[in-house]
């Protein structure tokens, strides 16, 4: 059962340091924007989730609504109430406990957030200790109780020495937010309404504030593209560690990229330099070096090296070799060993696709389908011009261009007669022989 909890995700900040046209929290790692990762973890704890938006809010709302149901949005009045405290100005909560998260912390896991709920305190706030705390709010703790948080820009020389920093995630009681958010002022170096000032106000009123030490790795915030790529490395490592524990063999895992929604089943091998994206499902298969598999299903097959399965490829008991590109095609019991393009096709058992075979699925305006039956031998360097249906037991001679359907049991070829002019080479270059 989910606890009685409201979750608010702060996502209104501008993200200037990303140097990007795209809203900060829409930048992706492991195939999904930061905001999607944090919403997915939040949904494990609560169905009452609000996202505070302002900068590029249309883009953020459109994306979130395209992926999730029932997420609420609160628009921050950035002009009059800037800052993390201003972000909570218009918020009303339905639950007694309110978890406040940041949209730019994509590595936080639900089980870590759950720890905030295990206290009988008015505020639980995340801290970690840093030898080099520059940039973070410093947390003054006495006898295990938090006294206040001071931002870097407002800190005295003595406060700047404090190594306990505010990781930026909090659990408040509803009463704390209702009482103290309206009392915040912007009397500070940045002229912003700091959420962190709620801590000192609550302390002065005798409220209990507990520090919760959290992992620096999981609570890493993204402010720049370097941070984004550092977080992606950590997330990739988690994904790969998980699948290796489930029995997937990975060669040189540091060179492998696997997105979060990829699923492996039974014993699989993934070689170096492989990229697997989207909702790909790989079962009892071997993906060889430097192949790319996107949003596809691969079962009892081997793919690569250097092959490309584009979205909606459905490959069963099939061999896909080097420089073969497959798109939106279903192949069952097929061999396509080298240098082919197979698009918008259905290819059946026992069929061999020779080197250099191309399904010509596009006429410049529309895409068409190619259907190839069982036991067909498609000779090298043939072009199959779609729409086309090649029935079972057909031989297509090398170098043919097929423009119409082929009946079961046929040999089909298009070939200009071979001409040989003996001695022509020597004549052409004027060589005496
Ligand atoms: C904040 C904390 C700081 C802490 C740090 C941890 C404050 C005043 N300071 O600083 O103590 O060490 O996080 O990472 O809270 N946001 C809004 N509206 C705004 C401003 C920010 O929604 O007006 C959102 C941002 O989109 C972001 C989050 O709040 O998701 C944090 O904002 P950011 O500017 O990164 O906070 P810091 O200055 O790093
Ligand atoms: Ca700031």
């Amino acid at each position: 059962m989910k606890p009685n909890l409201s979750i608010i995700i702060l996502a209104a900040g501008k993200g200037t340091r990303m140097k990007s046209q795209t809203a900060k929290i829409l930048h992706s790692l492991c195939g999904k924007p930061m905001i999607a990762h944090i919403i997915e973890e939040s949904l494990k704890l609560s169905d009452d989730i609000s996202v505070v938006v302002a900068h590029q809010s249309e883009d953020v709302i459109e994306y979130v609504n395209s992926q999730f149901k029932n997420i609420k949005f609160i628009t921050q009045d950035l002009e009059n109430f800037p800052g993390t405290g201003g972000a909570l100005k218009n918020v009303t909560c339905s639950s007694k406990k309110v978890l406040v998260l940041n949209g730019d912390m994509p590595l936080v896991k639900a089980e870590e957030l759950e720890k905030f709920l295990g206290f009988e305190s008015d505020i639980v706030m995340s801290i970690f200790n840093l030898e080099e705390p520059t940039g973070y709010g410093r947390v003054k703790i006495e006898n295990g109780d938090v006294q206040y948080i001071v931002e870097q820009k407002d800190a005295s020389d003595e406060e700047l020495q404090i190594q306990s920093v505010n990781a930026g995630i909090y659990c408040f009681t509803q009463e704390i937010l209702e009482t103290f958010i309206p009392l915040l002022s912007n009397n500070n170096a940045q002229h912003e309404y700091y959420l962190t000032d709620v801590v000192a106000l609550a302390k002065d009123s005798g409220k209990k504030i507990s520090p919760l030490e959290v992992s620096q790795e999981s609570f890493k915030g993204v402010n720049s593209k370097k941070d984004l790529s550092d977080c992606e490395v950590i997330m990739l490592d988690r994904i790969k560690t998980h699948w290796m524990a489930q029995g997937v063999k990975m060669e040189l895992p540091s060179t492998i990229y696997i997105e979060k929604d990829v699923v492996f089943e039974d014993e699989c091998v993934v070689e170096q330099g492989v990229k697997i994206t989207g909702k790909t499902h790989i079962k009892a298969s071997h993906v060889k070096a430097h192949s790319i598999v996107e949003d596809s299903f691969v079962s009892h097959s081997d793919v690569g090296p250097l092959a490309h399965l584009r979205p909606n490829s459905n490959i069963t008991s099939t061999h896909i070799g080097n420089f073969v590109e497959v798109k939106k095609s279903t192949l069952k019991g097929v061999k396509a060993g080298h240098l082919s393009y197979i698009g918008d096709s259905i290819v059946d058992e026992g069929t061999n696709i020779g080197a250099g075979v191309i399904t010509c699925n596009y006429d410049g305006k529309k895409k068409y389908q190619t259907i190839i039956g069982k036991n067909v031998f498609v000779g090298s360097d043939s072009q199959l011009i779609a729409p086309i249906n090649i029935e079972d037991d057909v031989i297509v001679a090398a170098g043919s261009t097929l423009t119409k359907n082929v009946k079961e049991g046929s040999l089909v070829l298009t070939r200009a007669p071979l001409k040989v002019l003996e001695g022509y080479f020597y004549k052409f270059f004027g060589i005496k022989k």
Side-chain angles (χ1 to χ4, degrees), residues 170-229:
Y170 322 80
C171 184
F172 297 102
T173 61
Q174 181 189 32
E175 187 206 336
I176 289 279
L177 290 181
E178 281 173 2
T179 311
F180 297 110
I181 291 290
L183 302 182
L184 291 176
S185 83
N186 64 350
N187 185 14
N188 53 50
Q190 301 186 83
H191 303 293
E192 286 184 3
Y193 293 83
Y194 292 163
L195 179 57
T196 45
D197 286 347
V198 165
V199 169
L201 291 171
K203 181 74 197 166
D204 289 345
S205 302
K207 302 292 184 187
K208 184 163 174 55
I209 302 150
S210 301
L212 173 64
E213 189 152 353
V214 294
S215 112
Q216 247 187 77
E217 183 183 273
S218 285
F219 284 68
K220 191 171 163 46
V222 172
N223 290 311
S224 64
K225 285 183 175 152
K226 172 75 167 90
D227 292 337
L228 184 69
S229 90

Side-chain angles (χ1 to χ4, degrees), residues 222-240:
V222 172
N223 290 311
S224 64
K225 285 183 175 152
K226 172 75 167 90
D227 292 337
L228 184 69
S229 90
D230 289 347
C231 283
E232 187 169 54
V233 169
I234 294 167
M235 191 175 284
L236 280 171
D237 195 53
R238 288 179 180 176
I239 293 168
K240 289 181 281 192

